[in-house]
Amino acid sequence: MVIETNNTRAVAKGISVHEFNKFYGAFHALKNMSLEVSPGEFLVLLGPSGCGKSTALRMIAGLESITSGTLMIGDQDVTDVLPKYRDIAMVFQSYALYPHKTVAENIGFPLKVAKTPKAEMEIAVKAAAEQVELGSLLDRLPGQLSGGQRQRVALARAIIRRPSVFLMDEPLSNLDAKLRGNMRAELKHMQASLGITTIYVTHDQIEAMTLAHRVAIMKDGELQQLGTPKEVYANPANLFVAGFMGSPPMNFVEGSITNGLFTAEGISLPAQQLPEMQNVTLGFRPEDCTVVEKGQGQIDAQVFTLEMTGDQSLVTFRSGDKSMVVKMPKDFEISPDSYAAIQFDSAQACFFDTSSGQRLYAQNV
Amino acid sequence: MIRSLFEPRKIGEMAPATKLLLYFILFAWSLFVIFPIYWLLITSFKTPAAVNEGPFFLPWVDFKPSLHAWKDLFVYDLSDTMRAYFNSIVIALTATALSVFVGSLAAYSLSRIEFAPNLITILYFVVLLIGASVAIGVYKTDLWLTLAVVVALFFLLARAVGRLYTARLKNGDILFWIISQRILAPIVVVVPIYMMFQSVKLLDTHIALIITYAVVNLPIVVWLMFDFFNSIPRDLEESAQLDGATMIMTFREIVLPLSRTGLSATTLLVMIFSWNEYLFALFISTSKAQTLPILVAAMNAGERGILWWTMSVAIIIMIIPVVVMAVFLQKYISKGLLVGAVKG
């Protein structure tokens, strides 16, 4: 019967971050960050290292104080509440397993702290271990486990208490590539079946794209864009997001707009009713364009290399000091150093203000 | 043929010549280290005559072993010997327990909490302290009245002064200050310490020696344990915190079990320091609280010259507990003392 109550979905709570600021001395680590996470949502904080995403997560966990701003979990203001009263479970990048405790003791630690009766604890530990397929390793010490198994122990310890919020700080970054792929799928499945609100920090955009309901992209302590993976990918709000999402990243060409035409060295194309402007950057994704014969597309350039990655071919062009990448089918052939052209649908191109980095949107004139 | 002597037979092995040389050096070094202990042992079984006519190296061959010195210490002077032994044990154990307890808590907080005491407040505190001491000691002001005035002055002015100058000390400064206490040679402070204990009438008591040893060893404990606690990943404690554990519980469940090696190494080190300490014991204890090192030294002071035979017996009984402990804890010591260098 106890197992049954254990398997019921947790009461997911929303998280509301309002104007978070964090100062370390004079260093402004987090700048006016606000976001709402709805109950049961999987939100990924994505950004390069040092962008403040881990700081934000640690502030939500209560491991770092909040210099200014408010934090609500559910309908409770927990800005100044001790971590242990926030009803949060966190998975650390290092897993933070207690090296002197067995797997069972590690998983059961949150219950032990809560003074759960022994019998009940044992059942819960077993159930949690089963859930992450660790049932046979309960008596081992963390030092005797592989990376993937340690990761599972950390997960089991996080889920055993049915917290209302899950925080994960780059939990997959210590695993090898193949295992990371498997664990990613399992994490996603587990989060969906438990329905626990999750905030997940990573610098890996593939993880962000595959796991998240919504992605929050950060840079230099500032939130750059918040949206579903699709939105963020298709409609980047600025140059940084455009360049950060996607592998290979978006191609950029610097130029200017005059008379509704974007012009750069050897390029001229309609600029989606944008006003006249110097210093404009054109961006287009490698998969939104194709290689055509010289003179047939928008940009003429010389082929630099052709890389076959298995499921596709990447053609890199060089023109001046710029390089542009085009994704082509895997059987595409072209000889290096030959001249060709890139053709793309100008409706799918994005324009950015080069100096501010902000996206330029078409105005209805 | 010659070449094969200087080439290892397999990867990861030593060349035969290297091996030979190495074992020769190790053997010579062991002789060098073990011989004094052997000499001590046989001297304890020599009669005064055998010592004076010597050197004799082999019992039963060179000289006839005798229990004469052992009888001296354990039959005729039994109460003196046992008292010194008992004193040493009580003082070393208590002082060690005290300094390890206080020192490791200090080290833990220094490694986990960021302190930022105001520099000017500390200076101000010291000035007040000196002022109060001079007032009480030289001008014979009333003790309690002076204390009350000083405390009031401190709280009244501390905030005002503290606001004017905001230079703050960091944890590293505090740590260095603690370690700097150890840099001071004990001989410099032994007379003031003697006078302090004299004025509170604690000379020749266990408490005086325990306090002195605990304080003298505190810097070592803080220093060693600080490095040790720093090597324990903070994630572990943060994780425990999120799981609902209190600070005390985190310390007991996570930090303490993980610092066992460091604690035992530190404990042993401090215990040996206290066990061997001579200078403070010489000043502070006169008869009742005399420790073993004093007893050993006393063998050198009689009218009959140096009593090598009884001195050997005293030294042997003094080093036995240390040797036994070192053998049992050797594994922990090397691990514990290396922790700063090898992280794993």
Side-chain angles (χ1 to χ4, degrees):
Chain A
M1 304 315 110
V2 186
I3 299 176
E4 209 166 68
T5 56
N6 246 325
N7 279 338
T8 49
R9 288 166 74 99
V11 188
K13 286 183 184 165
I15 303 166
S16 154
V17 170
H18 185 64
E19 290 179 2
F20 260 27
N21 275 294
K22 179 73 188 177
F23 281 92
Y24 292 107
F27 175 61
H28 202 169
L30 204 61
K31 296 164 190 161
N32 259 330
M33 178 183 173
S34 294
L35 48 85
E36 300 280 333
V37 189
S38 41
E41 186 177 356
F42 199 129
L43 181 100
V44 172
L45 291 179
L46 175 68
S49 55
C51 71
K53 56 192 193 303
S54 281
T55 305
L57 192 78
R58 291 170 59 82
M59 283 161 79
I60 295 170
L63 299 172
E64 300 277 349
S65 62
I66 298 166
T67 311
S68 74
T70 49
L71 171 68
M72 308 271 289
I73 294 180
D75 45 15
Q76 201 193 351
D77 183 348
V78 292
T79 312
D80 298 314
V81 170
L82 286 178
K84 60 174 173 170
Y85 299 121
R86 294 189 185 196
D87 196 16
I88 277 172
M90 182 156 164
V91 177
F92 292 77
Q93 183 174 7
S94 64
Y95 314 142
L97 301 182
Y98 312 127
H100 58 294
K101 290 181 185 288
T102 63
V103 170
E105 286 168 340
N106 262 290
I107 298 176
F109 187 74
L111 297 186
K112 184 181 173 189
V113 170
K115 300 207 167 64
T116 313
K118 248 202 176 123
E120 200 178 313
M121 197 162 105
E122 259 169 47
I123 296 168
V125 167
K126 271 204 186 114
E130 288 304 327
Q131 198 154 9
V132 295
E133 293 161 35
L134 272 177
S136 57
L137 302 172
L138 284 175
D139 297 325
R140 300 259 188 102
L141 288 173
Q144 301 165 313
L145 302 179
S146 69
Q149 289 166 337
R150 287 181 204 179
Q151 169 70 69
R152 286 165 199 273
V153 178
L155 279 178
R157 187 175 66 189
I159 60 178
I160 193 166
R161 206 161 39 94
R162 303 292 132 153
S164 43
V165 173
F166 251 166
L167 302 179
M168 304 199 185
D169 191 358
E170 310 221 9
L172 303 183
S173 61
N174 285 343
L175 302 179
D176 60 68
K178 195 175 168 194
L179 202 53
R180 201 180 309 159
N182 292 342
M183 285 305 292
R184 207 167 61 204
E186 282 183 39
L187 255 181
K188 187 167 187 175
H189 176 80
M190 196 181 79
Q191 197 271 343
S193 63
L194 293 173
I196 296 176
T197 316
T198 304
I199 299 184
Y200 184 106
V201 161
T202 183
H203 61 265
D204 179 348
Q205 42 128 344
I206 308 273
E207 261 171 44
M209 295 293 285
T210 50
L211 287 170
H213 294 144
R214 282 191 305 159
V215 187
I217 297 162
M218 297 180 65
K219 181 201 170 197
D220 296 338
E222 266 176 300
L223 187 62
Q224 304 289 314
Q225 191 174 5
L226 175 64
T228 63
K230 255 186 206 156
E231 277 167 20
V232 175
Y233 188 79
N235 282 310
N238 55 37
L239 267 176
F240 174 76
V241 175
F244 194 76
M245 300 297 285
S247 167
M250 195 179 251
N251 298 305
F252 295 120
V253 180
E254 282 173 31
S256 59
I257 296 177
T258 36
N259 294 331
L261 278 180
F262 174 83
T263 46
E265 208 188 315
I267 308 170
S268 172
L269 58 133
Q272 307 165 350
Q273 299 157 358
L274 286 166
E276 284 196 16
M277 203 171 179
Q278 295 293 313
N279 300 328
V280 174
T281 300
L282 158 75
F284 57 96
R285 294 230 173 253
E287 65 273 22
D288 290 339
C289 48
T290 50
V291 178
V292 292
E293 273 179 35
K294 196 183 170 195
Q296 310 249 311
Q298 284 96 328
I299 305 171
D300 288 334
Q302 194 179 9
V303 176
F304 186 64
T305 53
L306 172 73
E307 295 162 282
M308 233 284 286
T309 64
D311 54 346
Q312 66 202 12
S313 294
L314 300 176
V315 188
T316 307
F317 287 89
R318 270 279 166 91
S319 146
D321 56 348
K322 259 193 300 291
S323 62
M324 289 163 284
V325 179
V326 180
K327 244 185 220 178
M328 295 297 286
K330 60 184 170 196
D331 46 8
F332 180 78
E333 295 286 349
I334 193 164
S335 52
D337 295 334
S338 60
Y339 284 87
I342 304 171
Q343 186 190 46
F344 56 90
D345 179 2
S346 54
Q348 276 175 331
C350 310
F351 293 95
F352 302 93
D353 179 343
T354 310
S355 45
S356 73
Q358 289 307 309
R359 175 89 179 263
L360 301 169
Y361 292 99
Q363 287 159 356
N364 299 319
V365 229
Chain B
M1 184 60 204
I2 299 268
R3 225 177 113 187
S4 72
L5 266 181
F6 294 96
E7 254 173 22
R9 301 227 171 89
K10 273 192 216 159
I11 293 176
E13 263 188 12
M14 277 183 286
T18 322
K19 224 181 204 171
L20 204 70
L21 184 71
L22 197 72
Y23 276 102
F24 175 75
I25 294 173
L26 284 176
F27 182 74
W29 182 249
S30 327
L31 271 189
F32 185 73
V33 171
I34 292 169
F35 182 76
I37 296 175
Y38 170 75
W39 190 247
L40 209 60
L41 198 70
I42 57 169
T43 308
S44 77
F45 290 105
K46 285 176 184 170
T47 57
V51 172
N52 291 328
E53 287 156 25
F56 298 132
F57 293 90
L58 300 168
W60 288 290
V61 181
D62 284 346
F63 68 94
K64 197 169 161 279
S66 130
L67 281 174
H68 152 264
W70 290 85
K71 260 192 209 148
D72 260 8
L73 274 190
F74 284 97
V75 179
Y76 306 126
D77 286 335
L78 181 69
S79 65
D80 276 355
T81 313
M82 288 331 272
R83 192 177 59 211
Y85 216 97
F86 174 76
N87 285 345
S88 265
I89 289 174
V90 168
I91 291 167
L93 283 181
T94 322
T96 305
L98 201 65
S99 60
V100 168
F101 179 74
V102 176
S104 56
L105 287 182
Y108 182 64
S109 54
L110 273 173
S111 102
R112 292 299 190 254
I113 304 169
E114 260 187 53
F115 295 97
N118 197 318
L119 184 62
I120 200 78
T121 314
I122 293 173
L123 290 180
Y124 174 56
F125 177 77
V126 172
V127 168
L128 275 181
L129 206 65
I130 294 173
S133 313
V134 170
I136 296 168
V138 180
Y139 298 103
K140 310 285 178 215
T141 53
D142 182 66
L143 174 74
W144 295 109
L145 187 69
T146 317
L147 275 183
V149 170
V150 163
V151 169
L153 261 181
F154 179 73
F155 281 108
L156 277 177
L157 288 178
R159 286 186 68 95
V161 176
R163 262 190 216 140
L164 284 176
Y165 304 92
T166 49
R168 284 174 184 281
L169 294 181
K170 293 202 171 108
N171 282 17
D173 304 321
I174 300 173
L175 195 68
F176 178 76
W177 178 77
I178 293 176
I179 293 164
S180 70
Q181 305 299 302
R182 186 73 203 188
I183 297 172
L184 199 68
I187 192 78
V188 178
V189 290
V190 75
V191 172
I193 287 181
Y194 176 85
M195 291 174 71
M196 268 166 58
F197 282 123
Q198 188 185 40
S199 68
V200 291
K201 301 197 170 55
L202 279 178
L203 278 182
D204 201 21
T205 59
H206 288 166
I207 292 187
L209 279 173
I210 289 169
I211 293 175
T212 312
Y213 289 177
V215 169
V216 167
N217 283 321
L218 212 51
I220 294 181
V221 178
V222 174
W223 185 33
L224 286 175
M225 290 313 291
F226 176 79
D227 262 1
F228 204 87
F229 287 133
N230 254 0
S231 73
I232 298 177
R234 256 153 239 228
D235 286 1
L236 299 182
E237 287 154 69
E238 287 177 348
S239 170
Q241 240 184 71
L242 279 169
D243 285 340
T246 57
M247 206 162 177
I248 304 264
M249 193 165 179
T250 311
F251 190 77
R252 203 186 58 216
E253 286 272 336
I254 313 293
V255 180
L256 218 49
L258 289 177
S259 36
R260 235 177 346 203
T261 49
L263 276 175
S264 38
T266 310
T267 304
L268 192 67
L269 208 65
V270 169
M271 191 131 48
I272 292 173
F273 274 132
S274 314
W275 186 258
N276 288 338
E277 208 287 328
Y278 178 71
L279 183 69
F280 286 118
L282 182 67
F283 272 74
I284 295 170
S285 68
T286 45
S287 60
K288 282 195 320 261
Q290 248 182 19
T291 53
L292 279 176
I294 304 290
L295 183 79
V296 172
M299 312 277 176
N300 187 5
E303 300 116 37
R304 291 182 291 162
I306 305 174
L307 309 173
W308 293 113
W309 39 96
T310 40
M311 191 189 270
S312 301
V313 176
I315 293 175
I316 285 172
I317 60 169
M318 187 176 149
I319 62 176
I320 283 173
V322 180
V323 171
V324 169
M325 262 193 319
V327 167
F328 276 109
L329 294 178
Q330 183 214 32
K331 200 176 65 185
Y332 289 113
I333 301 170
S334 48
K335 237 199 240 165
L337 291 182
L338 278 176
V339 80
V342 194
K343 281 190 180 160

